Amino acid sequence: MRTDFDPTELGARAFYKLLNAVVVPRPIAWVSTTSAEGVDNLAPHSFFTVACVDPPVVQFTSVGRKDSLANAEATGEYTVSLVPEWLFEEANATATDFPRERGEFSEVGLAKEPSARVRPPRVAQSPVALECTLHSTVRLGDSTVVFGRVVHAAVADDVLVDGHPEVGLLKPLARLGRNEWSTIGRVLEKPRIRLADWPQGYDPAGS
């Protein structure tokens, strides 16, 4: 048995909560921007993913006209920092709806780190930062998808193993439904099956 949900009958807000509960876990883009007036903004966005490999492009969605969107459009630059477990409280606090003239870095007590290629600062305590220039935006209803070309990546040495970021050291947080967050949990590792190696009588359980 299943329960059916019709978006048009349920209403936008209620269906949004449903989507948030089933499209999980969602990685978090901790987006830093600088306003035209020079105020540094920092906000978490959980609609976030890689959009393109070559050139490297990431995307996040601003639901409504958030400061992240307005500043990125005005200046053409932003950074995305990873949200690790040890910055859970700070990341949640940066979602507070401070007025534009009050920067989240100072309000929450986070240290800034100068970026290499763009003006908006990075979160100094975060192990990973992606510096982006605005590629384009796409308006979808009440939301805007923001595409940024990654022009520089900075990764802390202590989360690298043989030159590659190690997820067990990154300890990324993710968003779930309601007010729920998640840690990385159990990590499963298995290589893809090449067509040349596809076994007859494939058994996903391996029995």
Side-chain angles (χ1 to χ4, degrees):
M1 296 291 293
R2 293 178 185 263
T3 299
D4 297 316
F5 298 91
D6 186 327
T8 59
E9 294 180 359
L10 197 59
R13 191 66 189 176
F15 200 75
Y16 168 73
K17 292 180 179 180
L18 176 67
L19 285 178
N20 270 2
V22 298
V23 182
V24 290
R26 298 186 307 281
I28 304 164
W30 213 359
V31 179
S32 168
T33 56
T34 302
S35 71
E37 296 74 31
V39 178
D40 294 323
N41 175 269
L42 181 64
H45 295 265
S46 70
F47 293 175
F48 168 60
T49 191
V50 176
C52 184
V53 174
D54 187 12
V57 175
V58 293
Q59 70 180 70
F60 74 91
T61 298
S62 175
V63 180
R65 290 287 303 177
K66 302 291 177 56
D67 290 343
S68 300
L69 170 61
N71 293 344
E73 288 180 330
T75 66
E77 298 179 330
Y78 64 91
T79 71
V80 175
S81 293
L82 181 137
V83 179
E85 289 182 28
W86 59 88
L87 294 177
F88 170 48
E89 296 293 344
E90 291 86 346
N92 183 62
T94 59
T96 302
D97 55 345
F98 295 110
R100 285 179 57 84
E101 65 273 12
R102 293 170 60 181
E104 285 78 5
F105 281 95
S106 57
E107 292 287 346
V108 175
L110 284 164
K112 301 176 186 178
E113 179 180 84
S115 294
R117 298 280 302 277
V118 298
R119 182 182 178 188
R122 310 188 295 226
V123 177
Q125 298 98 314
S126 170
V128 179
L130 305 177
E131 301 179 14
C132 304
T133 57
L134 184 64
H135 177 279
S136 57
T137 62
V138 176
R139 181 73 180 269
L140 298 170
D142 69 347
S143 302
T144 303
V145 185
V146 181
F147 296 92
R149 179 164 183 166
V150 181
V151 294
H152 185 79
V155 183
D157 291 339
D158 58 7
V159 299
L160 294 173
V161 176
D162 297 329
H164 186 78
E166 174 60 41
V167 71
L169 299 175
L170 291 173
K171 297 185 179 299
L173 286 173
R175 287 287 279 122
L176 305 175
R178 296 177 176 171
N179 292 318
E180 302 161 333
W181 300 58
S182 72
T183 58
I184 194 65
R186 182 185 175 195
V187 177
L188 306 177
E189 185 172 353
K190 181 179 285 290
R192 293 183 181 180
I193 303 172
R194 299 185 308 162
L195 180 59
D197 299 328
W198 186 261
Q200 290 187 345
Y202 171 68
D203 180 1
S207 57

